[in-house]
């Protein structure tokens, strides 16, 4: 038994134990926390260890079922429509997967989607009491993964898992264009640098929200670690998506009387970006436009018209999840060199699962508008990131999509409570008034 498998089984047992032993009202938070740990530890579609994969997926489903069963009957009623919408989106993806792959690959992908569906039933049951716990989980995870990423840079550790794509096991083969002085792009246990960057950015949003809500200094420090993790991953598209998410978070929290200061701040930041030449600093200048990744993604994006020109049935229902190579081979979807992947969630969904899948995906993202500033920020990040990443074929981005889009509004909204000493004065004043009366 490998160390990575041993650690996975230990985390699985701890997740089940924590969900079972928690107070009923805290069971949902424990199940979500355990799912986040497992989703970052085990990249289910990238590794060869089937036991670790299916142990992870089974644990997530069982923990979520336990959380649902233990949810107190006296708790406020939760609207099921967001979870139903998310489940319908996943069911549509499953329908386009069945019959397209080998039994093992089909079981893997269906199991991945079922585990996310189970999580989608639990997330709406989170409460404000769960926020510090989940923020602590994000903080610990980003610290651990960043430490591992630094050890990758020094050559102290190698790939945590045996990967299907052998070229991803060596950091020297992954050039870091954000920081050329680094050995390469770190990926920690995520199986690829991009999911590592996705997690770091969502962790940053959660820690930012928690820092504003609770004013805990360690959350502010965690934000700096998230930035470091993002640089270690070397993912330019994640920086663009993060900036959009931060703007959405700011707008979702702004009040009308603060709109003018916000516009002034935006102007200052825009001028600062011009002064430091931000595009060049982020390697988004002419070097990016001439890169293979940009050329490939641009060609894939320009394939929309060819995909739209297909017959009505294929346009709405797609060519099936296993049709990627055929679409590239036939020229319906064009790419650079010999690359046979989409790197675009919207084009991928449209090509393989049809316009229905794209509409459902956008509806799930739109549902986040009901969840407060944090939900809007996470959904904005995933929406923008989808322009350069096949999010629906990776477990972690789907887990983060379920977490972000289905957050209950109290969890994702900043509560501007008065200081504790003011509340105490009010309590004393009320007691004195009662005594006089």
């Amino acid at each position: 038994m490998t160390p990575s498998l041993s650690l996975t089984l230990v985390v699985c047992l701890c997740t089940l134990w924590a969900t079972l032993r928690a107070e009923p009202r805290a069971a949902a938070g424990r199940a979500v926390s355990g799912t986040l740990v497992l989703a970052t530890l085990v990249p289910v579609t990238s590794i060869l260890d089937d036991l670790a994969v299916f142990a992870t997926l089974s644990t997530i489903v069982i923990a979520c079922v336990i959380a649902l069963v233990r949810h107190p009957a006296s708790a406020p009623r939760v609207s099921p429509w967001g979870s139903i919408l998310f489940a319908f989106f996943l069911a549509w993806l499953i329908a386009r997967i069945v019959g397209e792959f080998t039994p093992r690959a089909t079981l893997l992908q269906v199991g991945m989607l079922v585990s996310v569906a189970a999580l989608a039933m639990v997330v709406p049951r989170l409460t404000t009491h769960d926020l510090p716990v989940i923020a602590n989980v994000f903080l610990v995870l980003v610290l651990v993964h960043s430490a591992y990423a630094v050890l990758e840079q020094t050559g102290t550790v190698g790939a945590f898992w045996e990967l299907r794509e052998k070229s991803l096991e060596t950091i020297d083969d992954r050039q870091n264009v954000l920081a050329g002085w680094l050995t390469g792009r770190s990926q920690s246990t995520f199986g690829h640098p991009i999911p590592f960057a996705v997690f770091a950015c969502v962790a940053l949003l959660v820690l930012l929200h928690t820092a504003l809500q609770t004013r805990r200094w360690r959350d502010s420090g965690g934000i700096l670690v998230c930035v470091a993790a993002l640089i270690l991953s070397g993912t330019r598209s994640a920086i663009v998506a993060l900036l959009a998410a931060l703007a959405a978070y700011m707008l979702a929290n702004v009040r009308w009387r603060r709109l003018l200061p916000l516009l002034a701040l935006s102007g200052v930041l825009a001028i600062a970006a011009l002064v430091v030449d931000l595009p060049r600093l982020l390697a988004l200048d002419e070097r990016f436009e001439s890169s293979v990744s940009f050329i490939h993604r641009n060609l894939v994006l320009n394939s929309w018209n060819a995909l739209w020109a297909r017959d009505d049935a294929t346009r709405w229902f797609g060519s099936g999840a296993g049709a990627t190579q055929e679409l590239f081979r036939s020229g319906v979807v064009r790419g650079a060199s010999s690359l046979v992947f989409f790197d675009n969630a919207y084009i991928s969904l449209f090509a393989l699962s049809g316009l229905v899948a794209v509409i459902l995906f956008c509806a799930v993202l739109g549902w986040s508008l009901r969840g407060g500033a944090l939900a809007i920020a996470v959904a904005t990040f995933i929406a923008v990131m989808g322009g350069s990443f096949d999010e629906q074929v990776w477990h972690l981005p789907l887990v983060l999509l379920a977490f972000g889009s289905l957050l209950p509004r109290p969890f994702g909204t900043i509560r501007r409570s008065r200081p504790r000493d003011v509340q105490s004065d009010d309590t004393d004043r009320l007691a004195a008034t009662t005594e006089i009366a």
Side-chain angles (χ1 to χ4, degrees), residues 164-285:
R164 298 183 185 281
E165 186 64 43
K166 296 300 181 183
S167 61
L168 290 172
E169 293 185 357
T170 306
I171 192 171
D172 295 323
D173 296 335
R174 306 189 299 266
Q175 181 184 5
N176 192 322
V177 295
L178 280 180
W181 46 272
L182 291 175
T183 306
R185 299 175 66 185
S186 296
Q187 62 186 18
S188 187
T189 63
F190 293 84
H192 195 281
I194 295 181
F196 181 29
V198 168
F199 173 76
C201 291
V202 173
L204 187 150
L205 295 172
V206 173
L207 293 174
L208 172 64
H209 179 74
T210 311
L212 294 175
Q213 178 87 324
T214 64
R215 293 177 174 83
R216 300 189 311 186
W217 67 267
R218 62 177 179 271
D219 295 323
S220 302
I223 293 173
L224 299 178
V225 178
C226 292
V227 173
L230 182 55
I231 295 173
L232 288 168
S233 75
T235 307
R236 293 171 291 193
S237 54
I239 296 179
V240 175
L242 178 61
L243 293 175
L246 291 173
Y249 183 79
M250 190 183 307
L251 290 173
N253 276 313
V254 73
R255 296 179 179 180
W256 285 111
R257 67 175 180 271
R258 297 177 181 173
L259 185 58
L260 188 59
L262 175 62
L263 293 176
L265 176 61
S266 301
V268 171
L269 293 177
I271 294 173
L274 291 175
V275 171
V276 301
D277 196 0
L278 188 61
R280 179 172 291 276
L281 187 65
L282 300 180
L284 293 173
D285 51 6

Side-chain angles (χ1 to χ4, degrees), residues 209 248-249 252-253 367-380 404-414:
H209 179 74
Y249 183 79
N253 276 313
W367 190 266
S368 66
L369 294 173
R370 299 167 54 93
L374 179 58
I376 292 172
V378 174
T380 300
S405 62
L406 298 174
L407 277 177
R409 190 170 187 83
F411 189 102
T413 304
I414 293 180

Side-chain angles (χ1 to χ4, degrees), residues 43-54:
V44 297
T45 57
S46 303
I47 64 175
L48 295 172
D49 194 329
D50 287 346
L51 179 56
V53 168
F54 290 109

